[in-house]
Amino acid sequence: MSTEFHLKAATAADGPYALDIDPKRAGWGYSSLRVIDLPPGGHHSFATGDSEWIVLPLSGGCTVLTDSGETDERGKTGQRGKTGQRGETDERGATGEMFELTGRESVFSGVSDFAYVPRDAHVQLASGAGGRFALTGARCERRLPARYGAASDVPVELRGTGNCSRQVNNFGAAGTFECDRLIAVEVLTPGGNWSSYPPHKHDECRPGEESELEEIYYFEVEAARGTEGVGYQRVTPSGQGRGTDVLAEVRSGDAVLIPDGWHGPSIAAPGHALYYLNVMAGPGEKREWLICDHPDHGWIRGTWPDQPVDPRLPLYEAPAGDAR
């Protein structure tokens, strides 16, 4: 069983990033994830290169300033996000667009707003109070306009029932928020429950049935009674690609790479809610999430209508409106 796909906290740090996964490091073609901690008054700049990115607060809030958003891939003027402000100037003197992200206290306290920034752009992050921020990315072709995503617009889905109940925040899901290739969602699993179950895969392109998508799982575990808490992640070979085989005890800050294979369950230990951020992208012409259940375990879906959803869910809901 390989450990190359389980990246423990701090082992994949690089420069300013607590976690830095790009296609070269992962050995694939599209998906990226960076996590950065900013102190009070901290700031960070980066070039988007050949990838589109969503800036997602994990804790705290920040300002996102980008010199993009003026034109799309056809050279036409793009639309601003809801809190976008034109006329801001970045450190190079270029006029850009600014988004103020309220963020949240933690991933266990609420849905966050976010900002999309396109490829071939320069981005600055600044945080007055400090915080932790995820940069979810995907190599892409089209250059879409920079935009703001309101927390109140994020669909919150309850998936599964019984001890398979979990909450999905579909902030960057296909069909929810427009990107070229990037798909990103958050999953929250109450303590003692299994999610990403039944095991499923998306490592083959089968039109109308299955998408080919690389995936990153980034984990945080809710502390309880002074203990950090752990979760567990399983991936088994599907006969495709690299034969990914993982059984990992995961802690806050860990990541698991899934280039192929049946993935699930993701298990939350009793007393500790489990959070994971999913980042996906692939070569398909259509941006869609189509999965295939493991043939030995797919039957569990048939038991869900006979059980109630875990009464602990939702852990929280998206806010009713943008208070700003």
Side-chain angles (χ1 to χ4, degrees):
M1 190 175 300
S2 175
T3 59
E4 66 177 300
F5 303 107
H6 177 204
L7 306 178
K8 294 184 178 181
T11 63
D14 187 27
Y17 300 114
L19 176 71
D20 188 3
I21 300 168
D22 61 14
K24 182 178 179 180
R25 181 164 199 165
W28 57 35
Y30 298 93
S31 301
S32 295
L33 175 63
R34 299 170 179 168
V35 175
I36 187 167
D37 293 294
L38 293 180
H43 56 86
H44 174 67
S45 300
F46 70 97
T48 61
D50 61 1
S51 296
E52 58 186 347
W53 299 84
I54 287 179
V55 180
L56 176 72
L58 300 175
S59 64
C62 68
T63 298
V64 180
L65 176 62
T66 175
D67 62 5
S68 63
E70 298 296 324
T71 58
D72 65 13
E73 71 276 7
R74 298 163 297 173
K76 296 185 178 181
T77 301
Q79 294 184 348
R80 289 177 290 158
K82 290 186 178 179
T83 62
Q85 301 175 19
R86 295 194 186 279
E88 299 294 333
T89 303
D90 70 11
E91 62 192 16
R92 302 172 302 159
T95 300
E97 187 168 8
M98 185 175 71
F99 305 101
E100 295 282 354
L101 302 186
T102 300
R104 53 190 166 184
E105 182 179 348
S106 79
V107 296
F108 299 104
S109 66
V111 177
S112 181
D113 52 358
F114 59 94
Y116 172 92
V117 292
R119 59 169 293 161
D120 302 319
H122 183 266
V123 180
Q124 291 184 62
L125 308 180
S127 180
R132 188 169 178 85
F133 307 95
L135 310 178
T136 67
R139 280 181 174 162
C140 64
E141 286 72 45
R142 293 190 299 154
R143 188 173 190 266
L144 302 175
R147 281 160 289 139
Y148 171 78
S152 57
D153 290 337
V154 174
V156 175
E157 173 190 1
L158 300 186
R159 191 176 296 170
T161 63
N163 61 1
C164 290
S165 302
R166 60 270 200 185
Q167 175 176 335
V168 184
N169 299 337
N170 289 301
F171 73 95
T176 295
F177 187 85
E178 185 184 10
C179 299
D180 186 29
R181 290 192 179 275
L182 177 63
I183 297 173
V185 303
E186 301 178 300
V187 181
L188 294 115
T189 307
N193 285 8
W194 286 25
S195 62
S196 280
Y197 198 79
H200 59 278
K201 74 181 187 76
H202 40 69
D203 55 16
E204 294 181 85
C205 180
R206 296 186 296 139
E209 296 184 31
E210 184 179 350
S211 308
E212 183 180 352
L213 297 167
E214 312 151 350
E215 186 163 17
I216 302 168
Y217 275 54
Y218 165 78
F219 297 91
E220 294 199 4
V221 184
E222 188 174 35
R225 299 191 179 186
T227 60
E228 179 185 60
V230 299
Y232 294 88
Q233 177 67 45
R234 185 70 170 113
V235 186
T236 54
S238 65
Q240 301 295 319
R242 293 153 67 176
T244 307
D245 193 353
V246 178
L247 176 56
E249 181 177 278
V250 295
R251 301 174 183 271
S252 291
D254 286 12
V256 171
L257 307 180
I258 306 176
D260 49 66
W262 305 103
H263 40 291
S266 303
I267 303 172
H272 299 273
L274 178 68
Y275 165 93
Y276 52 89
L277 171 62
N278 290 145
V279 182
M280 293 169 275
E285 292 184 7
K286 293 182 65 177
R287 176 177 171 254
E288 55 186 353
W289 183 69
L290 299 177
I291 65 171
C292 174
D293 285 343
H294 194 295
D296 293 343
H297 305 288
W299 61 267
I300 198 68
R301 291 188 189 273
T303 70
W304 290 351
D306 299 326
Q307 303 178 67
V309 174
D310 190 314
R312 293 173 291 178
L313 293 174
L315 295 183
Y316 51 73
E317 298 178 349
D322 190 342
R324 294 164 300 164

